[in-house]
Structure formats: C-alpha cells, structure tokens
Amino acid sequence: YGHVYMQNHIEMTKNKISAISYSLKMVKKLLPKQTMKTLYEALIQPHIEYGITIWGGTYETHVNKLSLMQKRIIRNITNSKYNEHTDPLFKRLGVLKVNQLYKLKMSKFMFKVSKNEMPKPINNLYKSNTSIHGYETRQRNHPHISYRRTHLASKQINHKGPEIWQEIPYHIKLSNNIRHLTKTYKKYLLCN
C-alpha cells in the first residue's frame, strides 16, 4: 500500500510541475536567469519537497521520473541544450537535485531526532547505538541502523533516516543548530 501511495504522489507532483514548467518555458527569453531560478525555487521546488521524507526513499525508477523532469527544467532555466550534462548546471545555480533534496530534508529530520526535538512517537522509532551495544565510538549516540528483512522495508523512513545520517560528515552533524546544519550540508552536497 505505501509503495503505491508513493508512486501516486510522485505522479501527481510530476503533473503539477509539468504545468508550471510549461509556463516557465514560455517566459524564459523575457526574464534573466536569476529571476528564473527564483521562480523555480518559489513555484517548483516546494512541490518536489512536499512529503519528500516519506516518498524520497522509494524505488529509484519512480524518483527518476521526477529527476528527469527537474533536469529538463534546469536546462530551460539555463538555456542549455536538451542533452547537456546537468551536474554543472545544478552546481552553477546552487540548486539541489531531487535525491540531494531528499538527503537534506532527511538530515534535518534526523538532526531533530538526534536532539530529541521530535514528538515522542517519532523519537521512539529510533534507538541509539548505545542502546544496542556499549562500544565507545563517535557514532554511539546516533540512531542505530536496524536490519530489515525486505527490500521495501529498507526504503522506509525509520531505516533510511539513520542510513543517511550515518553518511553525513561528522563535522556537519556537530552543528549547533538546524540552520547551520542545512547551510553546511547543502554546500557539501553541491560540491560532491
């Protein structure tokens, strides 16, 4: 059921973005690139980000449909050829790709979990490494990545969250507040 819901959500998001994308394409020759980027961030990115912590970890084949659409939009904004490689374009604009937006949103979510700032039922979904073993490691207070029996279960937020949190460089996880974490991790994602 959850898998079908995620697939439907991505399809609805694609449809919404498609209509906005067409409008942006019509005005791209009239507006400067910076204004186009602002319009993208105001009109398209919120649709991509909506619920991304839930659906962003689903099967790549579903997420790729949205990623391809996002790449087309970025090529439009930058007036690039239809087959131009988009990594440099995203980096130049300072815009995160769908999978990077997912990682950034999950990092903010897990930051709150690690600080016990989420509602109790959500915090209770995650056990710290110290509750599993007593080893003195740098990761001892971080959420434990639990074993999942099925591939579908490994895509869920209570598994993907700790997995993504573990990938984040240690110095970024030490951020004092969520604003600093967001800024430094976004910069890291754009550069890597």
Side-chain angles (χ1 to χ4, degrees):
Y1 172 74
H3 169 64
V4 173
Y5 168 78
M6 290 179 203
Q7 199 174 345
N8 290 343
H9 179 83
I10 291 169
E11 208 53 48
M12 281 181 2
T13 303
K14 260 182 60 196
N15 294 339
K16 286 176 188 172
I17 288 173
S18 184
I20 300 165
S21 170
Y22 179 76
S23 302
L24 287 181
K25 195 174 182 179
M26 293 297 103
V27 297
K28 76 174 180 179
K29 289 188 171 129
L30 305 170
L31 300 171
K33 194 187 299 179
Q34 192 56 43
T35 305
M36 290 293 289
K37 180 194 168 189
T38 303
L39 287 172
Y40 166 84
E41 289 172 337
L43 302 173
I44 292 176
Q45 191 166 304
H47 287 294
I48 295 173
E49 289 180 338
Y50 183 74
I52 200 168
T53 52
I54 305 297
W55 62 260
T58 192
Y59 296 104
E60 261 183 61
T61 49
H62 304 312
V63 179
N64 277 346
K65 293 172 186 176
L66 203 50
S67 296
L68 290 170
M69 183 173 271
Q70 186 194 34
K71 287 177 181 181
R72 269 198 306 276
I73 294 165
I74 294 301
R75 286 188 188 106
N76 268 333
I77 289 172
T78 57
N79 250 340
S80 303
K81 293 177 187 170
Y82 77 96
N83 61 350
E84 191 163 336
H85 190 54
T86 53
D87 282 354
L89 305 178
F90 277 102
K91 195 171 181 179
R92 201 175 318 135
L93 285 174
V95 170
L96 295 177
K97 294 184 253 181
V98 174
N99 67 324
Q100 293 172 321
L101 280 170
Y102 171 61
K103 286 182 176 184
L104 184 65
K105 284 286 185 182
M106 284 303 293
S107 73
K108 290 159 79 170
F109 179 83
M110 292 310 295
F111 180 82
K112 289 181 179 179
V113 167
S114 73
K115 302 283 186 198
N116 261 336
E117 293 174 1
M118 293 301 277
K120 202 170 185 174
I122 292 174
N123 273 334
N124 289 343
L125 286 174
Y126 303 95
K127 294 178 181 174
S128 67
N129 284 327
T130 50
S131 69
I132 307 298
H133 59 72
Y135 310 126
E136 287 295 317
T137 65
R138 284 195 309 186
Q139 307 284 339
R140 67 184 173 274
N141 293 322
H142 294 298
H144 179 72
I145 300 173
S146 54
Y147 170 74
R148 295 284 178 247
R149 274 186 256 172
T150 66
H151 188 62
L152 185 61
S154 71
K155 302 281 182 196
Q156 293 175 354
I157 192 170
N158 55 340
H159 182 77
K160 292 300 282 185
E163 195 177 86
I164 288 169
W165 186 249
Q166 192 172 25
E167 292 172 6
I168 299 170
Y170 189 66
H171 72 278
I172 295 175
K173 285 190 268 200
L174 290 177
S175 297
N176 291 331
N177 56 58
I178 203 156
R179 196 171 168 194
H180 183 261
L181 173 102
T182 304
K183 186 180 172 186
T184 52
Y185 192 41
K186 181 180 178 181
K187 192 175 177 183
Y188 173 83
L189 288 169
L190 284 167
C191 293
N192 292 285

